[in-house]
Amino acid sequence: HARAQHTHTTHTHTYNTHTTHTYRAQQLTMNFQKKKVSALEHDIEKARNQEDWSTAASLVKRYAKYTSDSPLIALVKGEQALESDEVESAQKRFAKVLSMEHDNVEALCLMGRLHFEAGRLTEALDCFAKIRLNDSEKVSGRKLRLVLEAFEDDGIALEKLKRPAEAVSSYEKLLIVAKRSLAHLNEKTAPFVETAILHSSTILVHLDDVPRAVQVLREGIRTRFALPPATVLKILQELGELLMLKTSSLRYSPPSSADDSVYIPRSPLEEALLVFLLAEEVRTE
């Protein structure tokens, strides 16, 4: 009986040891795969940011071996199709992404863009309206460009549909995202910011809200948004003319500053002169 019990104990110990080794091996394999998938996702995002679709395609093939039904695969294939002017194929791919992740921001931006370029403004607006970002979310890389472009398209579509106040709201969203992601702005994001600032100010003047138009232009100068000198000059000229020709002393609110050493103009004419001086400096540089 003692010998049988010893044999049973030995077999149990052997089984438990084997099970433990198998579990550890499985864990190591899973951890390796997770690291591999994470590294591939990083490399795919890098290729997308650089718009290197050949490399992205190669990486996606490798990525598919680990996760064959991923929104990222459909997204990249859709972007590749778009790059090759295969619009129908791209639309199907983005629709597939949204069937898996209905709130996928990049797919919504791209699908909305397709509708916008085809003149389907209502469908485009439906896509753009579903874009959700966290209040404190900083966006970078290709996603940032897509989001800024989406809000620009949204604003332009609303202008075309004679909904100016809503267009201004879209441009404001664009500027909020851009300000939150200042460190990631560059020459590729500048055109979207320029549209938002200049279109907003023009619409607000037409809506007889000159003080708000002035605030938008001031923010463009104060924050800069990685804008090129030519764009900064446009904003300065627009602001100077608005202060000179459209702003009365009664409706004038001077710019604010937390720095006590900064000189604050006391009238629209005084601020306009300072703005034109700054414009001359930018032009000279």
Side-chain angles (χ1 to χ4, degrees):
H1 175 72
R3 188 176 298 159
Q5 188 176 20
H6 175 73
T7 302
H8 173 72
T9 303
T10 302
H11 286 166
T12 301
H13 175 72
T14 303
Y15 173 77
N16 288 340
T17 302
H18 175 71
T19 303
T20 301
H21 286 324
T22 302
Y23 175 75
R24 284 177 180 169
Q26 288 174 340
Q27 285 295 105
L28 286 170
T29 301
M30 286 174 63
N31 288 338
F32 173 77
Q33 287 184 346
K34 282 181 181 178
K35 287 179 181 179
K36 192 71 177 174
V37 167
S38 179
L40 281 168
E41 287 174 345
H42 176 270
D43 290 342
I44 289 169
E45 286 304 317
K46 185 178 177 182
R48 290 180 68 231
N49 289 340
Q50 295 171 349
E51 297 183 0
D52 182 354
W53 302 116
S54 174
T55 300
S58 174
L59 290 166
V60 160
K61 283 181 182 177
R62 290 162 56 193
Y63 182 71
K65 293 176 183 177
Y66 298 98
T67 170
S68 58
D69 197 24
S70 164
L72 180 58
I73 294 172
L75 182 68
V76 173
K77 287 184 176 179
E79 289 176 308
Q80 286 176 274
L82 201 56
E83 191 68 15
S84 304
D85 289 327
E86 298 170 12
V87 176
E88 192 174 333
S89 174
Q91 195 164 335
K92 286 179 181 177
R93 298 288 187 181
F94 300 144
K96 183 178 179 181
V97 176
L98 293 171
S99 70
M100 290 186 276
E101 289 182 357
H102 68 277
D103 58 351
N104 186 293
V105 170
E106 291 169 274
L108 287 168
C109 291
L110 289 160
M111 185 69 94
R113 179 70 179 167
L114 287 177
H115 287 309
F116 177 79
E117 289 186 334
R120 298 186 293 269
L121 301 185
T122 303
E123 290 87 341
L125 293 178
D126 286 343
C127 287
F128 299 143
K130 294 173 185 173
I131 296 171
R132 295 284 183 273
L133 296 173
N134 297 330
D135 289 341
S136 58
E137 185 176 349
K138 293 180 182 178
V139 193
S140 62
R142 181 164 173 79
K143 183 177 179 179
L144 176 60
R145 296 198 298 277
L146 290 174
V147 169
L148 296 182
E149 184 176 42
F151 285 138
E152 179 194 51
D153 289 343
D154 194 44
I156 292 171
L158 289 163
E159 285 188 70
K160 289 180 177 180
L161 294 171
K162 310 297 182 188
R163 292 156 63 180
E166 292 174 76
V168 171
S169 295
S170 289
Y171 295 136
E172 284 176 343
K173 289 178 190 174
L174 190 160
L175 294 173
I176 288 169
V177 173
K179 192 171 183 179
R180 201 185 292 153
S181 310
L182 273 179
H184 304 289
L185 299 179
N186 52 42
E187 70 281 355
K188 290 185 178 180
T189 59
F192 310 131
V193 176
E194 178 181 342
T195 297
I197 293 170
L198 295 177
H199 280 230
S200 288
S201 63
T202 301
I203 294 169
L204 289 167
V205 170
H206 287 155
L207 294 175
D208 197 30
D209 195 347
V210 174
R212 199 166 152 210
V214 167
Q215 292 291 357
V216 169
L217 294 167
R218 281 176 180 162
E219 183 63 32
I221 299 304
R222 185 184 299 116
T223 308
R224 289 297 176 104
F225 295 105
L227 295 168
T231 301
V232 174
L233 193 56
K234 280 184 196 175
I235 296 170
L236 286 167
Q237 288 171 334
E238 186 82 18
L239 177 57
E241 289 172 11
L242 208 52
L243 289 163
M244 286 276 287
L245 304 174
K246 299 279 187 179
T247 308
S248 68
S249 297
L250 294 175
R251 297 182 70 185
Y252 178 70
S253 296
S256 58
S257 175
D259 188 349
D260 294 335
S261 65
V262 173
Y263 178 76
I264 305 295
R266 290 164 292 184
S267 70
L269 178 59
E270 192 174 12
E271 185 179 351
L273 291 172
L274 290 171
V275 165
F276 287 134
L277 283 172
L278 182 55
E280 193 55 39
E281 279 186 27
V282 172
R283 190 180 289 108
T284 303
E285 288 172 5

